[in-house]
Amino acid sequence: MKPNDMDRVLLTHTPVEVVPKFGEFEPLQRNGHRFLVAADGLWLESKRAWGRVLWPMAKQSAVLMPFGRLEQRVELVFGKELIPHLATFADDAREADRDEVGGVVIWHEQTGSLRYERCESIHAGVGFMRARQPAVDDGEHIVVDLHSHGRLGAGFSEKDLKDTGSEMVLAGVVGRVDRAEPQIVLSLFACGLQVPCEVGDALRRACARRVEEV
């Protein structure tokens, strides 16, 4: 191997490291990401101030490799307190009806608080949307990126997948807004890697149409 200066810069920012077989694995301390070579293949570890994900990218068992093993992990500094903000977005999606709408949840690094803001729609209709995300202050991070599919089914399109880029963000789509209980999908994205998230009963109930609205 003969890496040049540009290669060395890339490896500094996104290193490739071997998981020790006998020593201790140390989680990533800085914000960023790295690639890990483990006994069962290639893994990604991505870290932000609000969370960390450790997930396989390409697993294999055909070749015996003398490296350590890893366990899948997703660690977020927030949990159930996210539910009311997602419910507020479901209300916005229901109000927009057939047209798509966007929203974000913002986390404050110093206070640990969450707040929801609806995105400014530039151009929206059935099956498409252009929107402007709200500006964030110092110490704030957009941790959840949301959009609706109106009365269509919820899911991530190829464009949705590409739009995540190299960011780490929890993304959600709400569809079937004409039904009493809309369809919801959530995934954590890190550098383009998609980690599907379970949508629990508490979230489904919170996003359901209120009885007085039916």
Side-chain angles (χ1 to χ4, degrees):
M1 303 290 183
K2 294 182 178 180
N4 62 20
D5 290 342
M6 291 299 295
D7 292 318
R8 282 185 277 272
V9 169
L10 287 174
L11 286 173
T12 298
H13 289 283
T14 55
V16 179
E17 300 184 28
V18 170
V19 179
K21 184 176 179 65
F22 302 106
E24 182 181 356
F25 171 75
E26 295 184 346
L28 188 62
Q29 298 300 312
R30 62 174 179 82
N31 291 334
H33 65 274
R34 64 179 175 177
F35 302 105
L36 299 168
V37 183
D40 58 353
L42 185 65
W43 288 59
L44 171 72
E45 184 180 21
S46 182
K47 181 182 180 302
R48 297 294 186 271
W50 52 272
R52 170 175 166 264
V53 59
L54 181 63
W55 210 259
M57 295 177 58
K59 299 191 74 171
Q60 68 86 37
S61 58
V63 178
L64 182 64
M65 298 195 295
F67 309 128
R69 295 190 174 275
L70 296 170
E71 293 185 3
Q72 299 175 356
R73 295 187 68 87
V74 174
E75 301 168 352
L76 303 177
V77 299
F78 46 80
K80 291 183 178 179
E81 61 267 35
L82 192 63
I83 290 178
H85 301 291
L86 299 183
T88 300
F89 175 73
D91 288 339
D92 285 348
R94 192 175 291 114
E95 178 186 348
D97 195 23
R98 291 178 171 84
D99 293 341
E100 292 196 6
V101 68
V104 295
V105 179
I106 299 167
W107 175 75
H108 196 288
E109 189 170 347
Q110 280 70 46
T111 65
S113 61
L114 294 167
R115 64 183 172 90
Y116 165 77
E117 285 201 28
R118 184 167 172 170
C119 294
E120 178 188 353
S121 290
I122 300 172
H123 191 43
V126 178
F128 66 91
M129 178 189 68
R130 282 187 60 214
R132 183 180 292 109
Q133 289 187 337
V136 295
D137 296 329
D138 291 340
E140 291 187 325
H141 307 267
I142 292 177
V143 295
V144 187
D145 187 358
L146 301 160
H147 73 277
S148 69
H149 277 180
R151 299 187 178 190
L152 304 177
F156 294 103
S157 66
E158 289 187 10
K159 183 179 184 301
D160 294 335
L161 300 177
K162 291 178 180 178
D163 286 346
T164 61
S166 61
E167 291 300 313
M168 178 170 157
V169 67
L170 186 64
V173 184
V174 174
R176 308 293 188 197
V177 299
D178 54 322
R179 300 183 181 180
E181 186 177 288
Q183 184 180 14
I184 309 163
V185 294
L186 291 171
S187 286
L188 178 66
F189 288 89
C191 305
L193 181 68
Q194 182 180 6
V195 181
C197 303
E198 181 182 355
V199 177
D201 291 338
L203 177 57
R204 279 192 286 266
R205 287 194 300 269
C207 293
R209 188 189 302 270
R210 312 300 190 265
V211 174
E212 60 269 20
E213 295 176 355
V214 177

